[in-house]
Amino acid sequence: MLNKKSIKDINVAGKTILLRADFNVPLSGHNVTDDTRIRAVLPTLEYLIKHNAKVVMASHLGRPKGEYKPELKLDPVADRLSELLGRPVAKAGRVRGPEVNEMIEKLKEGELLLLENVRFESGEEKNDPELAARLTDKVDLFVNDAFGTAHRAHASTSGVAAHVPAVAGLLMKKEIETLSRCLEDPPRPMVAILGGAKVSDKINVIRRFLELADNLLIGGGMANTFLAAQGYDLKNSFYEKEQLDLARSILEESGSCRCRFALPDDLVATAELKDNSPYEIVKPDRVPDQLMAVDIGPESAARFGRVVSDAGMVVWNGPLGVFETPPFHKGTETVARAVAESRAYSIAGGGDLVAALEALSLSSQFSFISTGGGAALEFWEGKKLPGIEVLEDK
Ligand code: ADP
Ligand code: MG
C-alpha cells in the first residue's frame, strides 16, 4: 500500500505551509451552496492551527482557464472557512506577487491566508515551473489535501513539490487509506457498482473491478451501452455507439472471470426527460419506439439490493439513472437504501452519485464518501496520481 508521510509525521510548528485544498464548491453569487469540500479540509486546518503552523491555502474554483474571472474569486470560500473555523481567514487578491509575499511574511503562528483562485494563472494547468517556484517563494513545506485534483499534474498540485518537501494532509491520508481498502484484501464479498453516463469514462475501472470484485453491478447510461452491445434495440436511449466493440469485449472478458457481472434486465423508459413525465417499465428487448431508458427497473433495483445486502464491502461510482429528474432517481435510491441497511463497509465516489446520495439524505449512512470523482477512478485503476506521487514516502 502507498505509505506517504502526512503532517502527523513531521514537525509543523513555526513552519509556513502551502496547503493545496480542493475548495471547488458550487456558488450562487457570493453564497457557497454546498460546503462539503470545505468541511472535508477542516481536520487538516485544525491540526495545523493547533500545532502552530502558518497556513497559506491554494485552491482552484471552476474553469477560468488562466484568466481573471471576478465571479470565480475565492472570497466566498474565505468567508465560509472563517465561519466554520471561528477565526479570521485573510484573503489575498492575487495568486502570487510581492503583495502576496508580504502577506505571507506577516503571518503569525496559527494564522491563515487564502490565495486567489490558482487557475487565474495560465501556468497552473500547464504545471509551469516558474509558477510553482513563485508559489513556494516564502514557504517551507507543501501539504497536499486536494485529493479531488490529485489526478492532475498542475503547478499547485505537483510542480511545487520540486521546491519544498511535500506531505499529505489528513483528508488525503484518509482518502488513500480508505480507497486502498478495496484494492487490498477487501472484506468479502466485495460488490462494485458502476453507473453514470458513459462506459468510455470508466473502462479501466470496469476492468479493474472485474478482477477485484465478487460482483459488478452496472446501471445508468453505461448499462445501455452494454445492452446495445448484446444486440438490444434501445430505441431513443442514450448509449455510446462508438463503444459497442469495447463493451462487447468487456462482456466477453466477464464470462471468464470469477466476478459476477450484472446488467439490469428491466428498465424505466420515458418519452421525455422532464420531472414526473409518464414512463413504462420494460424489458430490454421491448423498449417501445420513441422511448428512452433512463433508470434501472424495480426488479433490477431489488436484485442489486439483494446482492448488496450480503456484501462485506460495497464500492460505488456513478448513479444508476437520471437521478436529477424524478422519479428516475428510484433505482439509485433503492440500491442506496440497501447499502445503508447492509453491514458492508461502503464507499461512494463521483460528483453525481454523491449529489444523488445527498439529495436522498443517505450519504451519512455510507462508511466513506470520497471527495474524488475522476481521482478516485484513477486511483482504483491503479494509475499513479501526480498529486500523490510527489508526496514523501514514510
Ligand atoms: P459521477 O459524477 O457520479 O461519476 P457520471 O458523471 O459518470 O457520474 O454520470 C452522471 C450522469 O449520468 C448524470 O447526469 C445522470 O443523469 C446520467 N445518467 C445516468 N443514467 C442515465 C441514463 N440511463 N441515460 C442517460 N444519462 C444517464
Ligand atoms: Mg459526474
Side-chain angles (χ1 to χ4, degrees), residues 16 34-35 53 77 86 101 150-151 179 183 185 188 197 247 260 273-274 292 334 353:
T16 303
D34 178 355
D35 63 5
V77 172
N101 283 348
H151 57 318
L179 300 189
L183 305 179
D185 197 19
R188 295 201 178 267
R260 301 172 71 144
L273 249 189
K274 61 169 208 248
M292 56 187 157
T334 301
L353 173 63

Side-chain angles (χ1 to χ4, degrees), residues 73-108:
K73 281 157 60 101
L74 283 172
D75 298 64
V77 172
D79 291 348
R80 180 59 63 89
L81 255 177
S82 170
E83 270 170 45
L84 292 169
L85 288 164
R87 57 173 63 229
V89 173
K91 166 75 193 5
R94 309 185 49 164
V95 178
R96 57 164 166 171
E99 307 91 336
V100 177
N101 283 348
E102 212 171 291
M103 290 179 89
I104 297 176
E105 278 174 323
K106 282 192 187 142
L107 280 178
K108 298 200 186 69

Side-chain angles (χ1 to χ4, degrees), residues 201-202 319 350-353:
D201 289 341
K202 300 180 187 177
D352 289 290
L353 173 63

Side-chain angles (χ1 to χ4, degrees), residues 195-199 201-202 219-224 237-239 267-268 273 292-296 316-325 328 332 349-356 372-374 377:
K198 295 183 180 170
V199 172
D201 289 341
K202 300 180 187 177
M222 190 192 282
N224 293 348
S237 304
F238 167 83
Y239 70 94
L267 300 164
V268 178
L273 249 189
M292 56 187 157
V294 289
D295 194 7
I296 62 172
W316 185 353
N317 174 284
L320 304 181
V322 184
F323 71 95
E324 301 96 327
T325 312
F328 310 126
T332 304
D352 289 290
L353 173 63
V354 173
L377 290 173

Side-chain angles (χ1 to χ4, degrees), residues 180-213:
S180 300
R181 291 187 64 174
C182 29
L183 305 179
E184 290 151 25
D185 197 19
R188 295 201 178 267
M190 168 166 139
V191 178
I193 310 173
L194 292 173
K198 295 183 180 170
V199 172
S200 53
D201 289 341
K202 300 180 187 177
I203 301 161
N204 295 324
V205 94
I206 298 172
R207 290 207 155 110
R208 186 81 181 175
F209 282 138
L210 272 179
E211 286 166 24
L212 292 169

